[in-house]
Amino acid sequence: MLGFVIQRLLQAIMVMAVMSVIVFCGVYAIGNPIDIVIPPDATQDLREEAIRRLGLDQPLWKQYLTFAGNLMQGDFGRSFVYNIPVLELIGGRLPATLELVLISVLSATVLGVSLGVYAGYRPDSWLSKTIMAVSVLGFSVPSFWVGLILILTFAVNLGWLPAGGRGDTVLVWGVPFSFLTLDGLSHIVLPAINLALFKLAMMIRLARAGTREIMLTDTIKFARAAGISEAVILRRHLLKLISIPIITVFGLELGSTLAFAVVTETIFSWPGVGKLIIDSIGVLDRPVMVAYLILVAFLFVLINFTVDLVFALIDPRIRAGATE
Amino acid sequence: MSPVLEVTGLRTHFHTRAGVVKAVDGVSFKLEQGEIMGLVGESGSGKTVTGFSLLGLVDPPGRIVEGSVRLNGTELVGMSERDLRRRRGREISMVFQDPIATLNPMFTVGQQMRMALESHGSISGRAAAARSEELLTMVGIPSPRARLRAYPHEFSGGMRQRVAIAIALLHRPSVIVADEPTTALDVSIQAQILATMRTLATETGTSLIWISHDLAVVSSLATRLAVMYAGRVVEEGPTADILRRPRHPYTQGLIASLPAMAEPGAPLTQIPGTTPSLLSLPPGCPFAPRCPRATAACAAEPVLTRDGTRAVACFHPAEPA
């Protein structure tokens, strides 16, 4: 097990190193940040002074090394636009995205797996057919449209829930969270539903397909032949047998939603990182873009690593393969 | 003495889009306590569905449409799922063909045995472990205490089947249905499992229904045989008698096609034609199109007729010895 962890850690470091090169070169290729950091009517001397100060006169590889060196010390640079450390900027926004995404992905998974298992267990009941029909909608309706309709219905027409913003927050260990106050919770409901719909549909389909397949296997028949009750078969045998694909998709969805909740955050003016990155791309705020993309890569690596560990915890065959 | 299991006129049909598949269409037999009965027939003759029907485990679209299954005097057909569940594992249990597919790979053998034990009343962890260990010893698994903590993938195929048998035996059921439990195993392992099963049946007084397409395997184990064709029992009687003097032409064909019956080097005899589709069975005797002795009389359906210890469903059976 320890060998498996170390091997995975080394892989993660490699991925991060490669990612930092790709991201740095990619961002370097677009636009000239000098135009946005100094006024257009500045003198040529001022211009060259700024270029030197930002290190933009150095060759690319030298710039990268400086950047990588600073990165090692936890320095992601300063935002050109806000002129504060990038880490501070992103760190201030991350909790908002984190709570929105975690709430929506977790509830989509719990609800989706329950509905999907039911739909797979009783495929011919009208309720299952309704669940499946609704899940098709979840797949096919674009999320920006759903967001607008949600605002129109619940905020504008019914006036039940606020249309945007985070509402009141509570500090937990110095980090602000909305979902712990009633006002914040009411603000999080609509964007969370908006984000969750697609994932819900996917979890339903995944759980249903797994359930239908597993329920026909000899493993389940044998358990039934031993007199084990349906409740135990579903709760213990089935859930464990369908868990691997569900955890895989859960991890992928968690990562990609954290990184790209942009549309929902924009529609609901949720002050998360998605909105920050879109704004930064608009004004070519290079340090923010680079730091953000590196952070996203790190999140993916972390999530994948965790998913692999969870696999090994759940499935003894994977555990055996990992120790050999 | 009344039989442990009495099956009368059992019919299990599958209502599919293509039509009604009559997988089991009139099966009757009795099983005495401690008796081993072989249920033989080709693939698709309805042996396995018969086995599942006995436990009430036929998946939709299949359904028992007619007949009676009496276990220890209680009628199982039409019983509620809840009451059936209570009898499964405790009064009647089943061992399947492929031991790789039956055990859940995610749980240790001990966990799976405990689940089976807990399904019929609460039991302490210590008692469950003790009982499981006892059963593993009984089916011949070395160092059973340590093996309780092992996962199925850590066992060989033969050992997994022994574990499955141990699970089936946990509550000392009166009947075990064994559906080709040795087919997926090596020949040498087969012989070991057969020997184990025979010993266990004798020691525990459990009756066994041994389902197989392999007449050679069954005849070494079962005291009585029931031969199935197209969802019906066509011949039934003591194994030795049937082997020595089969009465139904189908049984004769089966025995003649055994490799042991042929001269070395000579081509094996086979029954002409193939098993009919159960969707569109011709009226009358289902074996008639393949039968060397078929006549006009075979357009009507033959009934299983008992004559002493033996029964046969044929208008032109061979004379008993």
Side-chain angles (χ1 to χ4, degrees), chain B residues 11-314:
Chain B
R11 288 178 207 275
T12 304
H13 294 179
F14 289 76
H15 296 263
T16 66
R17 260 183 216 150
V20 180
V21 179
K22 298 175 179 172
V24 177
D25 205 28
V27 166
S28 309
F29 58 81
K30 285 178 192 167
L31 195 65
E32 305 292 335
Q33 201 210 328
E35 186 181 28
I36 302 180
M37 190 187 88
L39 198 58
V40 208
E42 290 168 299
S43 313
S45 58
K47 313 173 300 248
T48 300
V49 179
T50 304
F52 282 138
S53 302
L54 299 183
L55 281 93
L57 278 178
V58 182
D59 281 328
R63 208 162 58 81
I64 298 178
V65 290
E66 214 186 303
S68 141
V69 176
R70 292 183 83 83
L71 177 64
N72 297 321
T74 316
E75 178 62 53
L76 298 188
V77 175
M79 186 182 260
S80 77
E81 175 57 33
R82 198 161 146 265
D83 292 340
L84 259 180
R85 211 264 305 153
R86 288 199 186 144
R87 284 180 166 75
R88 275 184 221 133
R90 202 159 58 181
E91 289 182 36
I92 182 166
S93 62
M94 191 156 175
V95 180
F96 291 60
Q97 186 176 120
D98 184 1
I100 291 161
T102 48
L103 298 175
N104 189 330
M106 303 286 210
F107 294 105
T108 64
V109 162
Q111 284 171 324
Q112 301 193 42
M113 297 185 87
R114 190 167 168 189
M115 270 190 257
L117 282 167
E118 281 170 347
S119 62
H120 299 290
S122 62
I123 179 169
S124 75
R126 185 170 305 204
R131 177 81 182 128
S132 306
E133 196 186 324
E134 183 190 334
L135 259 299
L136 289 187
T137 316
M138 217 162 141
V139 296
I141 288 188
S143 51
R145 180 168 303 200
R147 296 306 260 167
L148 279 178
R149 282 193 299 275
Y151 287 93
H153 70 265
E154 295 168 293
F155 288 81
S156 68
M159 283 297 160
R160 274 188 234 194
Q161 195 60 291
R162 285 172 192 269
V163 171
I165 293 168
I167 291 177
L169 276 168
L170 273 175
H171 294 280
R172 294 189 182 277
S174 3
V175 178
I176 294 183
V177 180
D179 184 10
E180 310 218 20
T182 59
T183 308
L185 304 175
D186 288 346
V187 179
S188 56
I189 309 291
Q190 244 182 49
Q192 291 173 14
I193 299 269
L194 286 175
T196 309
M197 283 304 260
R198 187 170 15 216
T199 321
L200 288 177
T202 332
E203 277 176 8
T204 60
T206 299
S207 316
L208 244 167
I209 297 179
W210 193 277
I211 297 174
S212 181
H213 65 273
D214 191 339
L215 198 55
V217 167
V218 181
S219 54
S220 71
L221 185 71
T223 45
R224 217 148 49 79
L225 280 185
V227 181
M228 280 191 76
Y229 186 79
R232 296 141 229 242
V233 171
V234 292
E235 180 159 11
E236 196 243 280
T239 307
D241 293 353
I242 289 190
L243 285 185
R244 201 175 322 113
R245 252 194 109 73
R247 297 196 60 198
H248 195 281
Y250 175 65
T251 319
Q252 292 175 340
L254 266 189
I255 292 171
S257 61
L258 281 180
M261 297 289 165
E263 291 286 311
L268 294 177
T269 338
Q270 47 179 325
I271 306 173
T274 53
T275 359
S277 156
L278 294 173
L279 253 179
S280 51
L281 269 187
C285 174
F287 188 62
R290 300 169 76 182
C291 183
R293 289 208 299 273
T295 60
C298 302
E301 186 154 347
V303 195
L304 193 69
T305 329
R306 189 157 292 280
D307 177 10
T309 57
R310 303 184 59 174
V312 65
C314 184

Side-chain angles (χ1 to χ4, degrees), chain A residues 104-283:
Chain A
S104 69
V105 175
L106 278 177
S107 45
T109 307
V110 172
L111 192 63
V113 169
S114 322
L115 292 177
V117 166
Y118 178 82
Y121 185 66
R122 297 223 177 289
D124 296 319
S125 81
W126 63 267
L127 185 57
S128 304
K129 286 176 180 157
T130 315
I131 293 172
M132 294 324 285
V134 172
S135 86
V136 173
L137 276 185
F139 266 121
S140 44
V141 179
S143 103
F144 75 88
W145 184 81
V146 173
L148 293 177
I149 293 297
L150 284 175
I151 290 179
L152 198 63
T153 314
F154 294 100
V156 179
N157 288 339
L158 295 171
W160 290 353
L161 294 164
R166 255 189 109 177
D168 297 341
T169 54
V170 182
L171 287 180
V172 181
W173 299 303
V175 184
F177 284 106
S178 296
F179 74 99
L180 294 171
T181 69
L182 202 61
D183 181 55
L185 203 59
S186 72
H187 279 81
I188 216 170
V189 171
L190 288 185
I193 290 177
N194 189 198
L195 267 187
L197 269 185
F198 179 82
K199 295 161 226 321
L200 179 72
M202 187 151 58
M203 284 298 177
I204 288 177
R205 302 226 142 224
L206 207 60
R208 173 181 181 264
T211 304
R212 291 208 69 177
E213 189 187 321
I214 299 292
M215 288 316 281
L216 294 177
T217 58
D218 279 355
T219 309
I220 300 298
K221 270 221 153 147
F222 184 66
R224 282 184 175 149
I228 294 175
S229 70
E230 292 297 289
V232 173
I233 287 179
L234 287 180
R235 263 204 325 269
R236 300 198 59 187
H237 284 281
L238 177 79
L239 274 189
K240 219 164 181 189
L241 287 168
I242 63 170
S243 61
I244 296 281
I246 285 172
I247 291 169
T248 311
V249 170
F250 176 85
L252 287 174
E253 278 301 307
L254 188 63
S256 62
T257 317
L258 274 175
F260 311 110
V262 185
V263 174
T264 299
E265 286 186 1
T266 311
I267 293 177
F268 291 90
S269 7
W270 189 261
V273 281
K275 205 156 173 322
L276 172 71
I277 186 66
I278 285 296
D279 295 343
S280 303
I281 292 172
V283 296

Side-chain angles (χ1 to χ4, degrees), chain A residues 26-92:
Chain A
V27 172
Y28 185 87
I30 47 170
N32 186 355
I34 265 308
D35 297 336
I36 60 158
V37 286
I38 60 168
D41 56 349
T43 62
Q44 191 61 24
D45 281 353
L46 257 174
R47 225 181 132 76
E48 272 166 21
E49 158 62 22
I51 290 178
R52 232 187 341 273
R53 191 164 38 84
L54 292 173
L56 293 171
D57 56 341
Q58 307 280 336
L60 178 57
W61 61 269
K62 229 173 176 171
Q63 284 187 35
Y64 174 76
L65 285 186
T66 316
F67 161 77
N70 290 337
L71 206 58
M72 294 294 182
Q73 296 159 36
D75 178 6
F76 281 73
R78 294 178 86 82
S79 159
F80 291 162
V81 178
Y82 301 94
N83 201 26
I84 55 169
V86 168
L87 221 49
E88 213 173 281
L89 192 61
I90 294 180

